[in-house]
Amino acid sequence: MRGVGSVVQSSRPRRSTLADIAAIAGVSIKTASRVIRREPVANTTRERVERAVKELGYRPITAPRSAASDRSYLIGLLHFPPVATFVSGLIMGASERARQEGYHLVVEACSVGTPEERARSLRQLVIQSNLDAMILAPPLGDDPIVLATLADLQLPTCSIAPGDTDPDRPSVAIDDRGAAREVTKRLLDWGHRHIAFLTGAGGRSTTARRLAGFQDAVSEMPEARATVVEGDYSFRSGFEAGQKLLWGKEAPTAVFASNDEMAAGILVAAHKLGLAMPGQLSVFGFDDDVIANAVWPPLSTVRQPVYEMGGAAVTLLVDSSLRPSAKSSDVPLRQQIPYEIIERETSGRAPRS
């Protein structure tokens, strides 16, 4: 039995789905769902669906219900596989807050198939699990297929760090642009005049915001030189970028990477070249991931409070949509969580020329 606030992962064997029921009964998934929910349908239709249910041994996933409510007390958290440290932090924070609010957290990996397959898989998840609400880990908060499917199901949804600026769409984020601007300005104030910025994966809203913050700060100092290199948030892309960036007389004295994995790759490339940090090179990452304290020297970074963001997403959904008296107009739907710049042993003043 699941405990309150427990996390239900998606590694279970395949079970019969509403799509299977609908196919055997010769009806739409929506009609099959109406029968499962005991909503009014034609008797002949109901009989076909119920025969299919019996034939396949279908059992919807449900949680105990309140005697005074038809809620399942299940909140979903949808992410892209694999489960990265960032998502793990969201899960922990959301699960703890869900427990406090009397909800369960259901964690699922998003289908990576065609748009049609993704929409069908998501629709089945919501209907079978009878979810009350959904949290979308990045970059799913910007995925039009996911958003359209959940909107069609009229499911309350909160996105983590989306690019969408719609004030009526619930979201939780930090000020990525402001954090990147602050780090870059700090490096400039320390005398660095050639700073490289390693971007994250293309098409991600966080990638664009962090790059914009870097460019904001550099543009305020005409004598500063900026080099922008494309990465993909992986350790390898950071290592490869470091090997190219740090060789020769024109190498930057500071590198700011869009996440800690890439920053760690930069550190390894710097070690390979015999560069001392921060005496010869300063390196900043972003996120304050586990790897930031696992590398040597410990990495200077921006702490993105993912645990708190997961908890805030649950609270936002409960307060704006799930409480009996909830009114979204009474709750700020776009919530910003404070970040923190953490200086460790990979950052300092520019080397003297």
Side-chain angles (χ1 to χ4, degrees):
M1 180 179 294
R2 307 170 195 159
V4 174
S6 61
V7 178
V8 182
Q9 292 284 2
S10 59
S11 57
R12 54 186 177 270
R14 186 184 184 278
R15 54 187 290 138
S16 300
T17 67
L18 273 176
D20 298 328
I21 301 299
I24 291 178
V27 299
S28 68
I29 294 176
K30 184 175 181 180
T31 298
S33 175
R34 291 182 64 189
V35 174
I36 298 298
R37 292 171 179 267
R38 300 187 181 280
E39 296 176 1
V41 296
N43 288 336
T44 55
T45 300
R46 179 177 298 281
E47 290 171 0
R48 293 204 309 273
V49 172
E50 288 177 346
R51 281 198 299 270
V53 167
K54 185 176 181 179
E55 178 181 341
L56 293 179
Y58 173 78
R59 293 292 185 274
I61 304 171
T62 60
R65 296 172 179 270
S66 164
S69 171
D70 63 353
R71 295 197 182 282
S72 66
Y73 293 94
L74 293 174
I75 296 176
L77 191 153
L78 192 68
H79 67 90
F80 263 142
V83 179
T85 304
F86 176 90
V87 176
S88 297
L90 287 179
I91 292 171
M92 292 173 63
S95 179
E96 174 64 17
R97 189 63 58 82
R99 183 190 66 79
Q100 295 169 0
E101 297 285 357
Y103 282 80
H104 303 262
L105 187 69
V106 178
V107 180
E108 289 281 347
C110 183
S111 168
V112 293
T114 65
E116 293 77 13
E117 290 170 339
R118 288 161 61 197
R120 183 167 59 251
S121 175
L122 179 56
R123 186 177 292 273
Q124 290 173 0
L125 166 65
V126 171
I127 294 174
Q128 285 189 30
S129 297
N130 196 20
L131 298 178
D132 289 337
M134 179 73 81
I135 298 169
L136 299 175
L140 295 174
D142 295 321
D143 188 310
I145 299 297
V146 170
L147 293 174
T149 301
L150 294 175
D152 183 57
L153 292 168
Q154 298 183 335
L155 190 74
T157 303
C158 180
S159 299
I160 305 293
D164 184 7
T165 58
D166 183 351
D168 295 326
R169 191 187 299 279
S171 67
V172 173
I174 67 166
D175 183 1
D176 287 284
R177 185 168 185 167
R181 181 171 56 246
E182 188 174 345
V183 167
T184 307
K185 186 177 185 306
R186 190 167 301 194
L187 291 168
L188 292 168
D189 290 343
W190 287 340
H192 294 278
R193 290 298 177 265
H194 182 190
I195 304 174
F197 185 80
L198 184 55
T199 73
R204 301 277 185 93
S205 56
T206 49
T207 296
R209 290 195 295 267
R210 293 173 189 181
L211 175 58
F214 170 76
Q215 293 171 330
D216 289 343
V218 172
S219 67
E220 296 173 0
M221 187 168 288
E223 65 271 28
R225 177 183 172 188
T227 298
V228 177
V229 179
E230 185 175 346
D232 62 9
Y233 289 125
S234 71
F235 174 91
R236 175 159 293 280
S237 71
F239 176 71
E240 292 174 349
Q243 287 186 305
K244 296 176 183 178
L245 281 170
L246 303 179
W247 182 263
K249 295 181 180 180
E250 298 299 314
T253 61
V255 180
F256 182 14
S258 290
N259 78 338
D260 292 334
E261 285 281 342
M262 293 191 297
I266 294 286
L267 290 187
V268 172
H271 285 314
K272 187 175 180 180
L273 292 171
L275 296 175
M277 288 163 283
Q280 293 174 285
L281 175 71
S282 285
V283 179
F284 249 96
F286 207 113
D287 289 336
D288 198 25
D289 209 337
V290 172
I291 199 171
N293 266 311
V295 294
W296 185 86
L299 185 64
S300 296
T301 188
V302 177
R303 179 175 182 266
Q304 181 166 213
V306 292
Y307 180 93
E308 292 85 348
M309 292 165 73
V314 171
T315 298
L316 177 54
L317 286 169
V318 171
D319 288 348
S320 65
S321 302
L322 302 182
R323 293 194 196 281
S325 59
K327 294 182 180 179
S328 59
S329 59
D330 297 334
V331 180
L333 296 183
R334 298 188 66 83
Q335 298 191 6
Q336 194 169 92
I337 310 298
Y339 62 83
E340 180 183 0
I341 295 179
I342 299 176
E343 293 178 17
R344 295 193 178 103
E345 298 176 34
T346 60
S347 62
R349 299 195 64 82
R352 294 179 181 178
S353 55

